[in-house]
Amino acid sequence: AKQEGRNGLRFFAPAMQAHTQRSLELAEALKHAVQRGELHLMYQPQCALSTKRLVGVEALLRWQHPTWGMVSPAEFIPIAEQTGAIVPIGLWVMEQAVRQMREWDAVGLSGFSLAVNVSAVQFATPRLVEEFTRMVHDLNVPAERIEIELTEAVALRSPELAAATIQGLHEAGFRVSLDDFGTGYSSMSYLKRYAIGKLKIDQSFVKDLASSASDQALVTAIVRMAQSLQMTTIAEGVETQEQALFLYSCGCNEVQGYWYSPPLDAAAFADFARASLDP
Ligand code: C2E
Ligand code: CA
Ligand code: CA
Ligand code: CA
């Protein structure tokens, strides 16, 4: 017993093994998730605080596995990034999103942009700008209606390469926004060098916004900085009227969160958009 007690590894082994086992199984299953039709997108509306109108929508990936049920993107995206499966999955997401935009456009739903998350691993693949450009061109969707959401992680490996790719996306007409802003740890000097149009204020700063003076100060500072750099701001994870009111009063442009709408399937989003665009 004494020997076992000293052996920390043996003590923790069962839990670690279970974790590793599930990760391996998820990694294996993810390789086939696209072909097996297990992935779909949900769409979360984004609203302008000044008009309360729909101005954008974010595509959020869902994985419905036949035996495990719904697997959270918070669990499977990091695994897909480790194995590289995020590259084909990310291309599928963009293609699907652009097709959906085409369909909405065909039934008269326009006047909003569609944001797509692109992981740092996918972002570093060659010919990304060409692939995305080909997709919007083939489906006849203006690149201006597609927004690429990046995280600060894209700058970690090679800031120069990231700057060049962001510039390429910008020149091709895509909008680029910086997701989870405030949670990264890279130098903020890239903000003026990169062609980023919008900052997404991370939900961790929004959660206690109604009561926390320090979160209020942080959010106000982020909005002021963005304004002075001619960037727009959107706050995510906005759940209450109090949060929305504070954000409006400090000059934040847009909000996304349960207060406005949860993520919706494509049909429910179309109804939501119809009601918001011609009330
Ligand atoms: P994210 O990009 O920061 O997305 C926002 C997350 O907040 C989503 O979680 C959304 O459902 C959730 N959310 C929305 N409104 C509220 C709210 O009012 N309160 C709270 N507490 N949460 C809210 P979800 O859909 O589970 O996605 C988690 C993360 O997975 C995303 O965070 C993103 O990093 C990643 N992800 C999702 N889809 C994709 C994708 O297609 N590609 C890549 N690379 N990553 C994705
Ligand atoms: Ca996002
Ligand atoms: Ca985010
Ligand atoms: Ca996040």
Side-chain angles (χ1 to χ4, degrees), residues 58 60 117 149 179 200 236:
E58 178 177 8
L60 293 164
N117 292 284
E149 290 197 4
D179 204 356
K200 288 197 86 170
E236 55 182 353

Side-chain angles (χ1 to χ4, degrees), residues 96-250:
Q96 196 65 23
V98 176
R99 280 184 190 285
Q100 187 59 71
M101 195 58 149
R102 173 93 215 97
E103 280 183 33
W104 287 328
D105 204 40
V107 296
L109 295 173
S110 53
F112 57 88
S113 58
L114 172 56
V116 177
N117 292 284
V118 173
S119 103
V121 176
Q122 184 189 5
F123 189 76
T125 58
R127 292 188 312 282
L128 184 88
V129 180
E130 287 84 343
E131 300 253 33
F132 286 178
T133 305
R134 181 188 54 75
M135 285 183 198
V136 291
H137 181 262
D138 287 356
L139 293 161
N140 202 20
V141 169
E144 290 72 18
R145 295 198 63 198
I146 305 295
E147 183 171 289
I148 316 274
E149 290 197 4
L150 304 172
T151 64
E152 289 165 270
V154 301
L156 287 184
R157 228 182 303 185
S158 167
E160 293 74 25
L161 207 67
T165 306
I166 292 172
Q167 186 61 31
L169 288 169
H170 178 71
E171 281 164 12
F174 293 99
R175 307 184 198 200
V176 180
S177 64
L178 195 54
D179 204 356
D180 302 339
F181 186 74
T183 62
Y185 43 85
S186 43
S187 153
M188 280 204 288
S189 62
Y190 58 79
L191 280 182
K192 65 175 183 342
R193 291 191 287 122
Y194 291 4
I196 294 167
K198 189 191 279 189
L199 294 184
K200 288 197 86 170
I201 301 170
D202 191 68
Q203 40 189 294
S204 57
F205 302 110
V206 175
K207 198 167 159 284
D208 300 319
L209 199 52
S211 58
S212 160
S214 58
D215 284 342
Q216 291 177 357
L218 271 168
V219 167
T220 304
I222 292 172
V223 169
R224 290 225 181 100
M225 180 193 64
Q227 284 169 342
S228 65
L229 292 169
Q230 268 84 51
M231 299 165 94
T232 56
T233 45
I234 178 167
E236 55 182 353
V238 177
E239 298 182 352
T240 68
Q241 173 89 8
E242 288 75 16
Q243 292 166 341
L245 280 173
F246 180 84
L247 288 160
Y248 180 64
S249 71
C250 81

Side-chain angles (χ1 to χ4, degrees), residues 80-81 83-93 119 121-123 125 128 131:
E81 284 173 334
T83 65
I86 194 66
V87 175
I89 288 174
L91 285 173
W92 179 87
V93 168
S119 103
V121 176
Q122 184 189 5
F123 189 76
T125 58
L128 184 88
E131 300 253 33

